[in-house]
Amino acid sequence: GQGVDEPLSATGFRQADAAGLFLSNVKFTHVFSSDLLRAKQTAATILGNNKFCKDLEIKYDARLRERKYGVAEGRPLTDLKAMAKAAGEQCPSFTPSGGETLDEVRERARDFFEFLCRLAVELEQKEQDTHGAASRSSGTSEEPLVFPWTNHCSEAELSSGNGGASKILDANILVVSHGAYMRNWIGYFVSDLNCTLPTNLTKSQLSSVSPNTGVSHFIIKLENGNLLKPEITCVCLNQDSHL
């Protein structure tokens, strides 16, 4: 939850280090992290392993915090399950006293995602204003973005743009957050924004919480900068092959 702001354990640092090595060849343009200590340390460790952006500023945002669990925070998961059972409910839909509802968590996720979309469009506009459209590097850079999971997705899918009709934005954003929060964010992508999922993804995988430092990759296309209709494709979900 939010109330217990503990640092990473030794295992947590090893996992963050492994994630950093896994993502070491990915050139990020922005990094955002929850402002809780465990996420801050994870983000810093990932960047510390990166070949391109060790000095990139990490921006901390309270909208990326884990779900608030109220009176259940700092207690074993079995206690939360017992509270839910006593209330005639089940996890994760159960909300302990003082905690956040799933709808409240999803609203935070929606607000932050819309902020990211605006950021990407503003970045694109600045690029065009400064250099002109002809000098843009997206898709034609001599130093292409290198994703460690391209075997899950063809290069064409990563760089295609509907015959040139779409503008592919130059933002490649790392977001470091928490398991229950990310499950709600992904649920928002799927149920509200019709995110396209990998064909081999099962329903249980979609509803499960990511393992620590699990990596999910989404491609977001904003047709001609249209913030209202993002086209979202999930390349991989909760991948943990680096652990």
Side-chain angles (χ1 to χ4, degrees), residues 22-42:
F22 182 66
L23 298 170
S24 62
N25 288 316
V26 183
K27 192 173 184 180
F28 296 107
T29 58
H30 301 77
V31 179
F32 291 93
S33 169
S34 157
D35 62 352
L36 296 177
L37 182 56
R38 57 193 184 273
K40 285 181 170 182
Q41 292 174 326
T42 300

Side-chain angles (χ1 to χ4, degrees), residues 115-134:
F115 157 74
L116 290 185
C117 289
R118 291 193 300 273
L119 176 76
V121 169
E122 288 167 7
L123 177 69
E124 172 70 7
Q125 290 169 344
K126 285 179 183 176
E127 281 282 318
Q128 291 191 350
D129 291 345
T130 305
H131 303 295

Side-chain angles (χ1 to χ4, degrees), residues 17-196:
D17 202 49
L21 291 171
F22 182 66
L23 298 170
S24 62
N25 288 316
V26 183
K27 192 173 184 180
F28 296 107
T29 58
H30 301 77
V31 179
F32 291 93
S33 169
S34 157
D35 62 352
L36 296 177
L37 182 56
R38 57 193 184 273
K40 285 181 170 182
Q41 292 174 326
T42 300
T45 303
I46 290 173
L47 277 197
N49 282 283
N50 196 278
K51 295 177 182 177
F52 301 109
C53 41
K54 289 182 190 294
D55 298 323
L56 193 62
E57 180 187 1
I58 302 172
K59 295 185 178 178
Y60 304 111
D61 199 302
R63 289 173 293 184
L64 292 173
R65 287 181 181 180
E66 180 59 290
R67 181 184 179 190
K68 187 177 180 181
Y69 283 95
V71 296
E73 292 192 349
R75 297 168 66 175
L77 180 60
T78 50
D79 285 8
L80 177 64
K81 290 180 177 178
M83 290 179 196
K85 186 176 181 181
E89 297 182 43
Q90 290 184 326
C91 296
S93 57
F94 171 68
T95 303
S97 176
E100 280 182 297
T101 66
L102 294 182
D103 284 344
E104 287 171 333
V105 177
R106 185 168 293 199
E107 180 61 23
R108 274 202 286 133
R110 182 194 65 77
D111 187 57
F112 186 76
F113 176 65
E114 290 179 354
F115 157 74
L116 290 185
C117 289
R118 291 193 300 273
L119 176 76
V121 169
E122 288 167 7
L123 177 69
E124 172 70 7
Q125 290 169 344
K126 285 179 183 176
E127 281 282 318
Q128 291 191 350
D129 291 345
T130 305
H131 303 295
S135 66
R136 291 176 64 247
S137 61
S138 180
T140 59
S141 172
E142 294 179 6
E143 203 174 71
L145 301 173
V146 179
F147 294 100
W149 49 80
T150 47
N151 58 315
H152 295 266
C153 174
S154 72
E155 292 292 343
E157 284 178 292
L158 290 171
S159 60
S160 65
N162 296 336
S166 298
K167 292 179 181 176
I168 301 176
L169 303 174
D170 291 51
N172 190 38
I173 302 170
L174 173 66
V175 176
V176 180
S177 186
H178 307 268
Y181 176 86
M182 290 305 302
R183 177 171 58 186
N184 277 270
W185 185 336
I186 292 162
Y188 160 66
F189 273 4
V190 174
S191 63
D192 293 23
L193 300 179
N194 300 312
C195 173
T196 301

